[in-house]
Coordinates of all heavy atoms in Angstrom, one line a residue:
F1055 N 160.6 115.3 118.3 CA 160.3 114.7 117.0 C 160.9 115.7 116.0 O 161.3 116.8 116.3 CB 158.8 114.6 116.8 CG 158.1 113.7 117.8 CD1 157.7 114.3 119.0 CD2 158.0 112.4 117.6 CE1 157.1 113.5 120.0 CE2 157.4 111.6 118.6 CZ 156.9 112.1 119.8
K1056 N 161.0 115.2 114.7 CA 161.6 116.0 113.7 C 160.9 115.7 112.4 O 160.6 114.6 112.1 CB 163.1 115.7 113.5 CG 163.8 116.6 112.6 CD 165.2 116.9 113.1 CE 166.0 117.7 112.1 NZ 165.6 119.1 112.0
A1057 N 160.7 116.8 111.6 CA 160.1 116.6 110.2 C 160.9 117.6 109.4 O 160.8 118.8 109.5 CB 158.6 117.0 110.2
G1058 N 161.7 117.1 108.5 CA 162.6 117.9 107.6 C 163.4 118.9 108.5 O 164.1 118.4 109.4
D1059 N 163.3 120.2 108.3 CA 164.0 121.2 109.0 C 163.3 121.6 110.3 O 163.8 122.5 111.0 CB 164.3 122.4 108.2 CG 165.3 122.2 107.1 OD1 166.2 121.3 107.3 OD2 165.2 122.8 106.0
I1060 N 162.2 121.0 110.6 CA 161.4 121.4 111.8 C 161.6 120.4 112.9 O 161.4 119.2 112.8 CB 159.9 121.4 111.5 CG1 159.6 122.3 110.3 CG2 159.1 121.9 112.7 CD1 159.9 123.8 110.5
A1061 N 162.2 121.0 114.0 CA 162.3 120.2 115.3 C 161.1 120.5 116.2 O 160.7 121.6 116.3 CB 163.6 120.6 116.0
I1062 N 160.5 119.4 116.7 CA 159.3 119.5 117.5 C 159.6 119.1 118.9 O 159.9 118.0 119.2 CB 158.2 118.6 116.9 CG1 157.9 119.0 115.4 CG2 156.9 118.7 117.7 CD1 157.4 117.9 114.5
G1063 N 159.5 120.1 119.8 CA 160.0 119.9 121.1 C 158.8 119.7 122.1 O 157.9 120.5 122.2
H1064 N 158.9 118.6 122.8 CA 158.0 118.2 123.9 C 156.5 118.5 123.7 O 155.9 119.3 124.4 CB 158.5 118.8 125.2 CG 157.8 118.3 126.4 ND1 157.8 116.9 126.7 CD2 157.0 118.9 127.4 CE1 157.0 116.7 127.8 NE2 156.6 117.9 128.2
P1065 N 155.8 117.8 122.8 CA 154.4 118.0 122.7 C 153.7 117.5 124.0 O 154.0 116.4 124.5 CB 154.0 117.1 121.5 CG 155.3 116.8 120.8 CD 156.4 116.9 121.8
H1066 N 152.9 118.3 124.5 CA 152.2 118.0 125.7 C 150.8 118.6 125.8 O 150.5 119.5 125.1 CB 153.0 118.3 127.0 CG 153.3 119.8 127.1 ND1 154.2 120.5 126.3 CD2 152.8 120.8 127.9 CE1 154.2 121.7 126.7 NE2 153.4 122.0 127.6
A1067 N 150.0 118.0 126.6 CA 148.6 118.4 126.8 C 148.3 118.3 128.3 O 149.1 117.7 129.0 CB 147.6 117.6 126.0
R1068 N 147.2 118.8 128.7 CA 146.8 118.7 130.1 C 145.6 117.8 130.2 O 144.8 117.6 129.3 CB 146.4 120.1 130.6 CG 147.6 121.0 130.6 CD 147.3 122.2 131.5 NE 148.4 123.1 131.4 CZ 148.3 124.3 131.0 NH1 147.1 124.8 130.6 NH2 149.3 125.1 130.9
A1069 N 145.5 117.1 131.3 CA 144.4 116.2 131.6 C 143.1 117.1 131.5 O 143.1 118.3 131.9 CB 144.5 115.6 133.0
M1070 N 142.0 116.5 131.1 CA 140.7 117.2 131.0 C 139.8 116.6 132.0 O 139.9 115.5 132.4 CB 140.1 116.9 129.6 CG 141.0 117.4 128.4 SD 140.6 116.7 126.8 CE 138.9 117.2 126.6
V1071 N 138.9 117.5 132.5 CA 137.9 117.0 133.4 C 136.9 116.1 132.8 O 136.6 116.3 131.5 CB 137.2 118.3 134.1 CG1 138.2 119.1 134.9 CG2 136.4 119.1 133.1
P1072 N 136.3 115.2 133.5 CA 135.3 114.3 132.9 C 134.2 115.1 132.2 O 133.7 116.1 132.7 CB 134.7 113.5 134.1 CG 135.8 113.6 135.1 CD 136.5 114.9 134.9
G1073 N 133.8 114.7 131.0 CA 132.8 115.4 130.2 C 133.3 116.5 129.4 O 132.5 117.0 128.5
A1074 N 134.5 117.0 129.5 CA 135.0 118.1 128.7 C 135.2 117.6 127.3 O 135.5 116.5 127.0 CB 136.4 118.5 129.2
K1075 N 134.9 118.5 126.4 CA 135.0 118.2 124.9 C 136.1 118.9 124.2 O 136.3 118.7 123.0 CB 133.6 118.6 124.3 CG 132.4 117.8 124.8 CD 132.5 116.4 124.4 CE 131.3 115.6 124.9 NZ 131.5 114.2 124.8
V1076 N 136.8 119.8 124.9 CA 137.9 120.6 124.3 C 139.1 120.5 125.2 O 139.1 120.6 126.4 CB 137.5 122.0 124.2 CG1 138.6 122.9 123.6 CG2 136.2 122.2 123.3
G1077 N 140.3 120.3 124.5 CA 141.5 120.2 125.2 C 142.6 121.0 124.5 O 142.5 121.3 123.3
G1078 N 143.6 121.4 125.2 CA 144.7 122.2 124.6 C 146.0 121.4 124.5 O 146.3 120.5 125.3

Side-chain angles (χ1 to χ4, degrees):
F1055 302 87
K1056 188 147 176 69
D1059 289 331
I1060 306 295
I1062 302 152
H1064 189 59
H1066 60 285
R1068 296 200 185 115
M1070 299 164 59
V1071 297
K1075 298 291 181 194
V1076 178

